[in-house]
């Protein structure tokens, strides 16, 4: 994010993964809702 804002980079690639199999429905919903609203 800093590289793009500063003009150092125009395009970046970001990757990640989630493992939510042990969280249950309520925990997974809370986690995804929070992540969707966070920078």
């Amino acid at each position: 994010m800093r590289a793009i804002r500063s003009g150092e980079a125009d395009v970046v690639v970001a990757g990640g993964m989630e493992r939510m199999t042990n969280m249950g429905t309520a925990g997974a919903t809370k986690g995804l809702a929070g992540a969707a609203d966070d920078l």
Side-chain angles (χ1 to χ4, degrees), residues 15-38:
M17 57 187 267
E18 300 278 342
R19 182 175 175 192
M20 303 172 85
T21 56
N22 298 327
M23 296 182 72
T25 302
T29 301
K30 184 177 177 181
L32 290 171
D37 197 33
D38 192 21

